[in-house]
Amino acid sequence: MIITIDGPAGVGKGTLSKNLATHLGFHYLDTGTLYRATAFICLKDNCDLQNTQQTAKAAISLLERYDFKPTEAGFCTFIDGENVQRSLRADEVGSAASVVAAQTEVRQALKAFQQQFAQEKGADKGVIMDGRDTGTAICPDADVKFFLEADPKIRAERRVKELQDMGKSANFDEIYQAMVERDARDANRKTDPLIPAKDAHILDTSMLCVEEVLQKALSVITSESGK
Ligand code: C5P
């Protein structure tokens, strides 16, 4: 079984995906990590983010330099043997990710890996695919598709709280502005833009707590698949 969860930054895709994966005993792929890791490699190797030859090369090299390692705390991400799990979450890397993710060559380089992961894990226990285009371009035949939405101001507030909880300083206006710019880049790019699949269930998480989002998603999955 393949379940896709798409939507903009800070909408709660990661939280819902992890909760569903735990609840259903499914595998999980956060596809944004692949774009973040590509951007991380570009920044590390001093690539020009606008040079698609260099960025596509980074995306191709990622599949050799990148490793998922299961730990008790979840999945760790290694690049060239270095644990970069925390570095990949930086907002600077997220913004750079949305620049390289707008390039067709980069998307092509990462597509087969995601599709193979979905097919293999979907045929095993089941898989949750989390991203921007998993229901449209990566797994158009997924069994259940969700598209999450939320008011951008609420999404920015959530990000501020997340950073503050990590003991970091956070400026609402800067975060809101960066989020709006990233959403616009993701929604307006030519290749595989951020749009709901025609058969996606739209869930607005603005006024819902984590548990309510999980329960709504589970009830859709039950009614669609009997799971
Ligand atoms: O979800 P996350 O914030 O980690 O994604 C970082 C960036 O990667 C997004 O802003 C988007 O540009 C890109 N992305 C994408 N397609 C996906 C997942 C992420 O274009 N399936």
Side-chain angles (χ1 to χ4, degrees):
M1 183 178 192
I2 300 177
I3 298 176
T4 60
I5 303 184
D6 294 309
V11 76
K13 300 184 301 291
T15 305
L16 174 61
S17 299
K18 281 180 214 144
N19 285 343
L20 279 177
T22 303
H23 194 93
L24 299 170
F26 280 17
H27 298 277
Y28 165 49
L29 182 64
D30 169 5
T31 63
T33 302
L34 299 172
Y35 293 93
R36 284 177 182 266
T38 300
F40 180 87
I41 285 182
C42 290
L43 297 172
K44 185 178 169 194
D45 294 354
N46 286 320
C47 293
D48 172 0
L49 292 182
Q50 303 298 341
N51 182 325
T52 53
Q53 265 189 338
Q54 292 182 15
T55 54
K57 206 169 143 209
I60 292 163
S61 82
L62 169 70
L63 301 177
E64 285 157 19
R65 294 163 69 175
Y66 185 54
D67 198 7
F68 290 107
K69 285 244 188 325
T71 69
E72 278 179 19
F75 270 97
C76 270
T77 312
F78 288 79
I79 292 175
D80 300 337
E82 177 196 352
N83 185 342
V84 293
Q85 196 179 24
R86 285 177 77 92
S87 315
L88 293 189
R89 301 318 305 167
D91 287 343
E92 180 205 1
V93 175
S95 291
S98 83
V99 174
V100 298
Q103 298 162 359
T104 307
E105 295 82 350
V106 169
R107 305 200 73 79
Q108 282 303 330
L110 299 175
K111 193 168 186 171
F113 172 82
Q114 297 174 71
Q115 290 182 323
Q116 195 183 338
F117 187 96
Q119 288 307 326
E120 279 177 19
K121 306 297 182 190
D124 177 28
K125 292 189 267 183
V127 68
I128 311 289
M129 299 290 289
D130 152 4
R132 302 291 189 289
D133 63 344
T134 62
T136 50
I138 303 296
C139 306
D141 299 326
D143 300 282
V144 187
K145 299 179 186 178
F146 292 99
F147 191 89
L148 269 47
E149 292 177 337
D151 183 315
K153 292 220 157 90
I154 292 179
R155 291 192 277 124
E157 272 162 20
R158 287 179 187 160
R159 181 65 183 147
V160 167
K161 184 165 181 313
E162 196 184 341
L163 288 169
Q164 285 169 346
D165 287 348
M166 289 191 284
K168 295 186 180 167
S169 64
N171 177 306
F172 174 85
D173 290 335
E174 280 173 20
I175 287 174
Y176 176 73
Q177 192 54 37
M179 199 172 253
V180 169
E181 279 169 23
R182 181 140 75 100
D183 288 352
R185 235 182 344 250
D186 289 346
N188 295 320
R189 67 181 175 225
K190 271 193 293 181
T191 309
D192 305 335
L194 171 68
I195 41 161
K198 287 199 178 65
D199 49 351
H201 296 268
I202 310 285
L203 266 181
D204 190 321
T205 69
S206 305
M207 308 308 281
L208 300 177
C209 71
V210 167
E211 184 58 28
E212 287 169 325
V213 178
L214 174 64
Q215 290 310 324
K216 277 187 185 286
L218 283 172
S219 87
V220 169
I221 294 166
T222 306
S223 71
E224 287 223 349
S225 69
K227 185 96 189 157

